[in-house]
């Protein structure tokens, strides 16, 4: 299943037969990727999709009115509520996401809205040998196998018992991924799709007020000393800068005996800025400016 159609009501998005320039550019780019962009005149969206054999589960709707969102309520079509100045009375509360405009919206953005609707994990980024993606409950067996590897839990907490870990993972996917858009991701081999580690970001309550953005990583024993940690962390730093996650500094907390990670952070350009106690362990605190 994939996103194949974008629908909208002509009377909501068009003026004198034309959409705004930002939407025109977006629609052109979508059509180049093979996405069918279709304007609906007088029919309801369910009737239009039925008559034109458009699967709702492969469709994203841009809606500027509550009436349009009501039409697709109960259908598996994803939706973006468009807050237009000429539709000020519309709440658009039924939309999967709200937008003020579309100048910075591209196919990737729309695809991710559609994927969230259908609970499809995001593929976050790629490196030369790996890719990072969100985890699902089906990944738990592989995650347990990863954590059972040699020395994998020397400097990090082990997984919970199965039922507790499954509940934790459900909550993490729902609240961390869906709310913040980032988290700890699975690191997989681009060629074999083998799970070879974890890497990503967490929010850490440092006890100094607002939470800080923390980078974490763990590489399978069989893949260590081969540059995978450097490759993944370099990509994460670039991602944190490019995606503007709302933090001006990226932190890492490293066990004082974890010499390999200390050396890695030095190579990446992190600076040690003190010592703290975390979970009963003495940890070095490293910082990297994002701006």
């Amino acid at each position: 299943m994939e996103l194949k159609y974008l629908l909208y009501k002509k009377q909501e998005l068009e003026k004198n037969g034309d959409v705004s320039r930002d939407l025109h550019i977006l629609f052109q780019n979508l059509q180049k990727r093979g996405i069918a962009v279709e304007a609906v005149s007088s029919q309801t969206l369910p009737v239009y999709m039925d008559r034109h054999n458009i699967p709702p589960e492969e469709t994203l709707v841009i809606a500027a009115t509550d009436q349009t969102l009501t039409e697709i309520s109960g259908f598996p079509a994803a939706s973006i509520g468009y807050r237009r100045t000429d539709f000020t009375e519309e709440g658009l509360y039924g939309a999967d996401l709200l937008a003020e405009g579309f100048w910075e919206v591209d196919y990737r953005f729309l695809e991710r809205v559609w994927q969230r609707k259908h609970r499809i994990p995001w593929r976050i980024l790629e490196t030369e040998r790996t890719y990072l993606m969100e985890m699902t409950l089906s990944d738990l067996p592989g995650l347990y196998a990863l954590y059972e590897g040699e020395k994998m839990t020397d400097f990090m907490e082990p997984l919970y018992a199965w039922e507790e870990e499954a509940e934790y993972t459900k909550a993490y996917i729902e609240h961390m991924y869906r709310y913040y858009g980032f988290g700890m991701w699975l690191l997989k081999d681009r060629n074999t799709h083998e799970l070879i580690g974890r890497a990503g970001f967490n929010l850490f309550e440092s006890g100094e007020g607002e939470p800080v953005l923390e980078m974490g990583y763990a590489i399978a024993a069989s893949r260590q000393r081969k540059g995978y940690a450097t490759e993944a962390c370099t990509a994460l730093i670039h991602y944190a800068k490019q995606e503007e996650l709302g933090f001006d500094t990226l932190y890492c907390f490293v066990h004082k005996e974890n010499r390999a990670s200390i050396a890695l952070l030095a190579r990446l350009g992190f600076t040690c800025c003190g010592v703290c106690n975390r979970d009963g362990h003495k940890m070095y605190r490293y910082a990297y400016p994002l701006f």
Side-chain angles (χ1 to χ4, degrees):
M1 186 171 68
E2 59 184 324
L3 175 61
K4 294 182 179 179
Y5 301 90
L6 185 144
L7 303 183
Y8 67 92
K9 292 286 193 69
K10 289 176 67 72
Q11 64 268 30
E12 293 180 6
L13 267 63
E14 294 185 7
K15 187 174 182 179
N16 298 323
D18 294 315
V19 297
S20 59
R21 181 162 176 76
D22 55 345
L23 282 171
H24 177 72
I25 293 172
L26 173 62
F27 291 168
Q28 280 189 324
N29 291 334
L30 292 177
Q31 289 166 338
K32 289 177 182 178
R33 297 188 68 103
I35 305 297
V37 178
E38 303 189 21
V40 180
S41 298
S42 58
Q43 301 164 312
T44 66
L45 293 181
V47 168
Y48 185 88
M49 287 187 280
D50 182 63
R51 290 182 177 177
H52 293 82
N53 297 316
I54 297 175
E57 64 273 13
E58 297 178 354
T59 302
L60 185 143
V61 173
I62 296 179
T65 68
D66 293 326
Q67 174 58 41
T68 297
L69 292 171
T70 299
E71 289 178 12
I72 60 172
S73 177
F75 281 75
S79 60
I80 293 179
Y82 184 12
R83 291 197 179 279
R84 296 194 57 173
T85 56
D86 46 351
F87 290 95
T88 56
E89 300 300 317
E90 306 298 327
L92 305 178
Y93 301 115
D96 295 311
L97 182 136
L98 297 177
E100 302 285 344
F102 291 85
W103 282 113
E104 297 182 359
V105 172
D106 56 11
Y107 168 77
R108 179 171 174 264
F109 180 91
L110 298 184
E111 182 187 42
R112 287 189 165 183
V113 174
W114 176 82
Q115 287 174 331
R116 277 285 182 261
K117 174 72 174 183
H118 298 286
R119 300 186 179 276
I120 298 172
W122 288 358
R123 185 156 168 161
I124 305 300
L125 59 85
E126 295 184 356
T127 70
E128 181 181 355
R129 296 177 293 173
T130 70
Y131 63 90
L132 281 163
M133 70 178 301
E134 295 177 341
M135 63 180 173
T136 68
L137 287 177
S138 63
D139 293 304
L140 281 181
L143 204 58
Y144 274 93
L146 175 71
Y147 273 61
E148 289 169 359
E150 183 183 359
K151 298 183 178 181
M152 282 298 293
T153 57
D154 282 0
F155 301 112
M156 64 180 184
E157 295 297 317
L159 299 177
Y160 299 121
W162 180 271
E163 290 187 3
E164 188 176 358
E165 187 66 33
E167 288 301 315
Y168 172 81
T169 300
K170 286 180 186 177
Y172 192 88
I173 291 170
E174 185 66 27
H175 300 295
M176 195 68 186
Y177 288 166
R178 293 182 68 86
Y179 185 79
Y180 291 103
F182 61 80
M184 285 300 293
W185 298 307
L186 302 182
L187 184 67
K188 296 190 175 185
D189 186 292
R190 282 184 64 173
N191 295 320
T192 66
H193 305 291
E194 174 191 355
L195 177 61
I196 62 173
R198 299 180 78 182
F201 306 110
N202 272 321
L203 296 178
F204 175 61
E205 298 286 350
S206 64
E208 300 176 0
E210 295 295 323
V212 299
L213 185 67
E214 174 189 15
M215 183 176 74
Y217 51 89
I219 305 298
S222 61
R223 301 290 185 121
Q224 292 177 10
R225 302 181 184 277
K226 297 179 181 179
Y228 284 99
T230 301
E231 191 173 320
C233 290
T234 299
L236 286 174
I237 293 169
H238 178 73
Y239 183 91
K241 291 179 178 179
Q242 185 180 44
E243 297 295 320
E244 299 182 1
L245 301 180
F247 297 86
D248 57 11
T249 305
L250 181 62
Y251 290 92
C252 269
F253 297 86
V254 184
H255 194 284
K256 62 184 181 65
E257 295 179 2
N258 191 348
R259 295 186 179 87
S261 286
I262 291 171
L264 169 62
L265 293 176
R267 292 197 301 272
L268 292 172
F270 280 78
T271 301
C272 185
C273 56
V275 179
C276 64
N277 287 314
R278 182 170 178 181
D279 300 325
H281 300 287
K282 182 179 179 182
M283 308 281 278
Y284 290 121
R285 176 172 173 163
Y286 282 81
Y288 185 101
L290 295 174
F291 300 101

